[in-house]
Amino acid sequence: MDDLCIKCLKSENHATGVMYGQFLIDALKIGQGITIGNLLRRVLLSEIGGTSISAVRIAGTSHEFSTLPGIREDVLEILLNLKGVTLKDTTQKTKFGRLKVQGPAIVTAAQIQLPDELKIINPTHYIATIADSNVLEIEFQFDYGTSYKLATQTFKEKSNDFLEMDTIYMPVQKVNFKIKNIYDNFNQVKEQLIIEIWTNGSISPGDSITEAAKIITHMFSSITHSTFIEKNYEVTNDEVSGNIDPNTKNLNIIELSKFSSSFLPYFYSFKIFFGNH
């Protein structure tokens, strides 16, 4: 296969911070378009990493079902709002930030104090509303990861003060692709692969597809450098026959039905349990 050539057909930056890009991979052989498209889509959605808020410590509370005096939102609503904060990171290390605001005020993501390596993509994102002269004080832990992780998987060191959060690390929000058939100069059918990528703004669509290509290349490069040692493996008669118990070979159908009926209660309980989950 010839070297792939990729072109950027369209690029858009939305006011919400979302970035969109449309790309064309040209002159593919028949069948290669869907193979490359599926592979890129899966890697873009599951392997590209990002930084998000993984845990918070809110002054005056110890669990997510409590309320704060003078704050319109309860703790659970504040945690849900914090999930929408989009961050761009230059490193993959754990970092910490802080927010302290005295009311009356509307708290947004721009008021979070961050280390130099972090940048907020959507600074106008709403967090909470403070009434009167009450104070909202929050400490943040930022972690780098891939895909989606539950709170128990995200937070490394348990602490009674920090509230763990389910974290979405995926900077690539959506990927579509379509394939078109064209004729080249030699009147042969070729495929064009058109890929559309939406990101949260922490990484551009062009950089995300470059990162995906690097991950795929690294994945398969280990196979190209592998050496295989051939081993002769002989299949024994016991393996062919499956080591069948000789006592069960001559069971008549009545004894076999009695044998199988003894396992029915276990089967139905297994089916009921897993059928409801």
Side-chain angles (χ1 to χ4, degrees):
M1 184 175 67
D2 298 332
D3 293 338
L4 297 182
C5 179
I6 186 168
K7 302 176 183 177
C8 181
L9 302 180
K10 189 184 296 185
S11 179
E12 298 176 357
N13 295 336
H14 299 277
T16 57
V18 175
M19 302 179 72
Y20 167 79
Q22 187 183 67
F23 304 91
L24 170 68
I25 299 179
D26 207 354
L28 298 172
K29 296 180 181 179
I30 296 297
Q32 290 180 344
I34 191 169
T35 301
I36 297 174
N38 269 323
L39 181 57
L40 282 174
R41 183 178 183 275
R42 289 180 178 274
V43 173
L44 283 166
L45 292 174
S46 61
E47 299 294 333
I48 305 298
T51 297
S52 294
I53 302 172
S54 59
V56 298
R57 179 162 53 192
I58 303 176
T61 183
S62 58
H63 59 86
E64 62 268 28
F65 301 109
S66 59
T67 58
L68 295 169
I71 310 298
R72 177 184 297 176
E73 290 78 13
D74 58 23
V75 174
L76 188 59
E77 289 177 304
I78 293 175
L79 294 178
L80 290 174
N81 291 336
L82 289 175
K83 289 183 180 182
V85 177
T86 303
L87 298 161
K88 183 175 182 179
D89 198 354
T90 57
T91 65
Q92 298 182 8
K93 298 179 180 179
T94 298
K95 302 175 185 64
F96 295 90
R98 190 170 179 268
L99 179 146
K100 186 176 182 179
V101 180
Q102 184 174 8
I106 295 177
V107 183
T108 62
Q111 295 164 289
I112 301 176
Q113 301 173 16
L114 299 174
D116 295 335
E117 298 87 353
L118 280 177
K119 177 184 177 182
I120 294 178
I121 301 300
N122 52 347
T124 59
H125 180 75
Y126 176 80
I127 296 176
T129 298
I130 308 174
D132 300 329
S133 60
N134 294 282
V135 177
L136 177 63
E137 186 174 0
I138 307 175
E139 292 183 52
F140 302 89
Q141 176 171 324
F142 307 100
D143 280 310
Y144 177 89
T146 57
S147 189
Y148 175 86
K149 289 183 175 61
L150 297 175
T152 54
Q153 299 173 314
T154 304
F155 202 52
K156 300 178 181 65
E157 297 180 1
K158 296 287 290 182
S159 173
N160 295 328
D161 296 333
F162 273 92
L163 301 176
E164 307 168 25
M165 295 176 58
D166 298 334
T167 311
I168 301 174
Y169 293 109
M170 299 177 291
V172 179
Q173 299 177 334
K174 183 180 177 182
V175 180
N176 284 340
F177 71 90
K178 56 185 177 181
I179 299 165
K180 291 184 178 180
N181 291 334
I182 60 171
Y183 288 91
D184 61 10
N185 297 330
F186 302 97
N187 205 30
Q188 294 180 343
V189 180
K190 296 289 185 179
E191 287 185 347
Q192 285 184 333
L193 174 63
I194 299 174
I195 302 179
E196 296 177 295
I197 302 173
W198 289 261
T199 71
N200 61 6
S202 62
I203 186 173
S204 68
D207 290 340
S208 67
I209 203 168
T210 301
E211 288 296 320
K214 290 179 180 178
I215 293 171
I216 295 169
T217 303
H218 178 73
M219 188 186 306
F220 285 99
S221 64
S222 59
I223 298 178
T224 60
H225 296 91
S226 298
T227 57
F228 299 95
I229 301 174
E230 295 184 1
K231 292 184 178 181
N232 295 325
Y233 181 74
E234 296 181 358
V235 180
T236 63
N237 293 330
D238 290 339
E239 290 174 324
V240 174
S241 60
N243 292 326
I244 300 175
D245 188 351
N247 296 325
T248 61
K249 290 183 178 181
N250 299 320
L251 287 177
N252 57 46
I253 192 165
I254 296 176
E255 293 174 337
L256 186 61
S257 63
K258 291 179 180 178
F259 176 78
S260 60
S261 62
S262 62
F263 288 93
L264 284 178
Y266 301 100
F267 170 76
Y268 285 120
S269 61
F270 179 87
K271 182 178 179 182
I272 291 171
F273 177 79
F274 285 97
N276 295 329
H277 290 76

